[in-house]
Amino acid sequence: PVEIFDLVIFGATGDLARRKILPGLYRRYLSGQIPSGSRIIGAARSAMDGAGFRAQVAEAIEEFVAADKRQPGPIAEFLAMLDYVAIDASGEAGWSELKGLVRPGLIRAFYFSVAPSLFGEIAERLHLHGIADAQSRIVVEKPFGRDLATARALNATLASHFSESQIYRIDHYLGKETVQNLMAVRFANILFEPLWNSQFIDHVQITVAETVGVEGRGAYYDKSGAMRDMVQNHLMQLLCLIAMEPPYHFDPDAVRDEKLKVIRALQPVELTDVVRGQYVGSKGEGGYLEDSENPDSRTESYVALKVHLANWRWKGTPFYLRTGKRLRARTSEIAITFKEPPHSIFDDAPGWRENVLVIRLQPNEGMNLKVMIKEPGPGGMRLTQVPLDMSFATVLGAEGADMPDAYERLIMDVIRGNQTLFMRGDEVEAAWAWVDPLIKGWEARGDRPARYEAGSSGPEDALMLMHRDGRRWREIS
Ligand code: BG6
């Protein structure tokens, strides 16, 4: 269990709190990780009392927690930990009441599950009213800026009230079990690290494919697009974990220093190495333009790009990144394709293929290493590729199938005071510094994204991005 804490959630009636944060906290309570003396205080604009809030949370649990985990006893105990205060982020209402609810001497965390435009006002009022102290932690959600300038301004605002060690910038991809597993696989085995460089790795593919569109979030998404919404944060974090040097210790700054070096080594991307796409309706389903409600939108719902790192380890190994909405399947995976052996003694044996290590982030989390063996049977020396398969659900049983949601892990890290899986301010700024010129480049060109059918694998042009290098994307399935 973690220590007893007071957690204040600003934006407690919002979508993220309802879907992820509150159900996640309930599950952690059920697993015995949250001591019952802790208190979770919802804060939002709606006029409501504690009972009203508890009723809302009960509904959220009903909707977002699996039936076998919805036990009336624990639910009632969990709800008893909740309180609510109606608060005006940019006015005076509610703040002194909030001050009366948090208890001295305990871990105190504030979750800013609100629009970034409110971060500054909330931070300021927490100080003004003496609600936050030097030990308090704040958790902030993405989007963390929309370019380098806005990210810097946001960092500066937060820095005027909190030190870096108090600020937890969430990238929920870092809380995914398999993403953390990347570090374990790389740095707890001797097997991979000696091969983990451009001498032995031909290329890396990082895919985050979604089947959902932007329905309901059109207003936000249309100002963002796949590059800002997914690449600048989630895909870059994955890239960092794959490409970084071994940190000297699994310690927040040691890990984040190494990630930062990766971001800084990223080469500027040529516009010819980027494909932007936008889905069009198919089989009765609407296209992006309907979903976003901007009939002339040039926002990309898909992006694929080829990226190079200028450092000793990776010079010459391209990283291909792609992400998109309304694709054929929901798949997130990292595939590492190794080079050919230096010499083949099986010259005339058909069937040879490269070794590929696939790290599957979701769904069906696990790892799969494709190796060559002799095709069984008397037919002479023919080769065939077989998977060394480690699906978490199979190897780890129920535990593997029932992994905590990314938010659960991350919120508990906030309470434990562990920043390893949170982005540091300089990391976020470096990521924007790399992304900005690319976005400016295509905005200046002003062209429309390529079209792809909803339910397809993305635009044709993205296939070309790899074909012209003599490589191909893995199937999205
Ligand atoms: C969010 C993006 O950060 O991540 C969404 O804003 C996206 O557009 C989501 O759908 C994907 O997260 P997950 O955990 O479903 O892969």
Side-chain angles (χ1 to χ4, degrees), residues 142 172-173 176 210 217 220 229-230 234 325 330 362:
K142 66 175 272 249
H172 79 282
Y173 266 58
K176 289 184 192 279
E210 299 185 275
R217 300 169 75 218
Y220 152 75
D229 185 50
M230 297 294 286
H234 307 325
K325 299 211 179 277
R330 177 170 186 255
Q362 62 192 24

Side-chain angles (χ1 to χ4, degrees), residues 21-87:
I21 305 173
L22 289 156
L25 284 163
Y26 164 71
R27 280 189 293 260
R28 289 296 91 210
Y29 175 74
L30 188 68
S31 75
Q33 205 172 6
I34 297 184
S36 54
S38 301
R39 191 174 290 165
I40 298 161
I41 302 160
R45 232 176 348 197
S46 325
M48 186 169 39
D49 58 6
F53 182 57
R54 283 189 282 276
Q56 273 197 5
V57 177
E59 276 172 28
I61 292 175
E62 186 68 26
E63 196 174 345
F64 297 109
V65 175
D68 62 337
K69 299 214 154 146
R70 295 197 307 256
Q71 295 146 16
I75 291 182
E77 290 159 21
F78 176 74
L79 294 178
M81 292 164 49
L82 304 185
D83 222 322
Y84 181 82
V85 45
I87 215 158

Side-chain angles (χ1 to χ4, degrees), residues 82-266:
L82 304 185
D83 222 322
Y84 181 82
V85 45
I87 215 158
D88 180 3
S90 32
E92 293 317 308
W95 292 94
S96 51
E97 197 186 336
L98 178 60
K99 182 167 189 190
L101 286 176
V102 292
R103 299 163 294 172
L106 297 181
I107 293 173
R108 200 176 286 175
F110 301 94
Y111 200 125
F112 292 16
S113 178
V114 295
S117 55
L118 293 175
F119 288 178
E121 305 212 47
I122 295 179
E124 197 172 321
R125 287 198 162 68
L126 283 174
H127 275 278
L128 209 66
H129 293 270
I131 304 172
D133 57 23
Q135 273 72 50
S136 302
R137 291 145 208 185
I138 61 166
V139 186
V140 294
E141 272 293 333
K142 66 175 272 249
F144 200 85
R146 64 183 320 274
D147 54 20
L148 179 57
T150 48
R152 272 198 184 134
L154 216 48
N155 273 335
T157 305
L158 295 180
S160 62
H161 301 288
F162 296 95
S163 70
E164 183 63 32
S165 64
Q166 296 178 280
I167 304 172
Y168 290 71
R169 294 178 195 77
I170 282 209
D171 182 315
H172 79 282
Y173 266 58
L174 290 178
K176 289 184 192 279
E177 198 67 27
T178 21
V179 175
Q180 297 168 53
N181 198 29
L182 269 174
M183 282 186 278
V185 167
R186 281 196 63 196
F187 304 128
N189 295 289
I190 191 74
L191 203 59
F192 301 110
E193 204 47 31
L195 303 181
W196 211 259
N197 56 53
S198 58
Q199 200 185 337
F200 297 104
I201 294 183
D202 177 71
H203 75 278
V204 176
Q205 294 185 26
I206 303 180
T207 301
V208 177
E210 299 185 275
T211 48
V212 291
V214 298
E215 318 85 329
R217 300 169 75 218
Y220 152 75
Y221 194 89
D222 206 49
K223 293 199 178 55
S224 164
M227 192 71 189
R228 290 190 172 98
D229 185 50
M230 297 294 286
V231 177
Q232 186 273 345
N233 37 73
H234 307 325
L235 275 83
M236 281 187 70
Q237 289 295 324
L238 299 179
L239 172 70
C240 284
L241 298 181
I242 295 286
M244 72 184 188
E245 296 301 313
Y248 71 89
H249 191 252
F250 192 55
D251 152 281
D253 279 327
V255 171
R256 297 186 297 177
D257 286 345
E258 295 307 335
K259 289 198 302 178
L260 181 61
K261 288 184 207 163
V262 174
I263 302 176
R264 293 204 168 132
L266 282 168

Side-chain angles (χ1 to χ4, degrees), residues 328-396:
R328 172 181 298 161
R330 177 170 186 255
T331 306
S332 297
E333 61 167 40
I334 297 165
I336 292 143
T337 301
F338 291 86
K339 289 191 170 167
E340 296 184 11
H343 166 70
S344 170
I345 64 167
F346 305 114
D347 263 352
D348 53 352
W352 182 84
R353 294 173 67 184
E354 308 102 333
N355 297 125
V356 184
L357 173 67
V358 180
I359 301 161
R360 178 99 175 172
L361 306 178
Q362 62 192 24
N364 312 324
E365 291 86 345
M367 280 184 11
N368 184 313
L369 177 63
K370 298 191 189 326
V371 293
M372 299 309 301
I373 60 162
K374 177 188 170 299
E375 197 174 273
M381 183 53 86
R382 300 174 70 86
L383 299 175
T384 186
Q385 195 167 53
V386 292
L388 279 180
D389 205 357
M390 200 207 69
S391 138
F392 286 4
T394 321
V395 182
L396 305 174

